[in-house]
Amino acid sequence: MEEKKLLLVHHGALGDVVVTFPIILRLKKIYRHIDLLCQIKLGKLAKVINVVDAYFPLDSASFASVFT
């Protein structure tokens, strides 16, 4: 069986992402690996409380081409 992975992109602030945590936790039943592209501080929070498996900083040069 193929391992399903999901990348979530979040542009908002703390409150906007926190209200999605219950939904992300439900998605973990379908997707065994969930990454979050967001502000660094939000990604750290989501990772520490085990909502996501990994996070990537939204303002990283690696993702600049996504928004051009």
Side-chain angles (χ1 to χ4, degrees), residues 31-66:
Y31 298 94
R32 297 297 174 212
H33 188 92
I34 298 178
D35 295 331
L36 181 61
L37 179 60
C38 62
Q39 295 177 30
I40 292 174
K41 61 184 178 183
L42 303 179
K44 285 181 182 179
L45 171 65
K47 175 71 175 142
V48 166
I49 63 173
N50 202 30
V51 172
V52 298
D53 299 299
Y55 67 92
F56 302 98
L58 188 63
D59 56 357
S60 169
S62 302
F63 297 102
S65 64
V66 173

Side-chain angles (χ1 to χ4, degrees), residues 3-30:
E3 182 177 320
K4 293 183 179 182
K5 298 179 181 180
L6 180 65
L7 173 64
L8 300 171
V9 180
H10 176 45
H11 298 277
L14 177 63
D16 297 332
V17 75
V18 169
V19 299
T20 65
F21 283 176
I23 296 166
I24 296 171
L25 291 171
R26 296 283 307 261
L27 287 170
K28 286 183 107 175
K29 295 178 181 181
I30 300 168

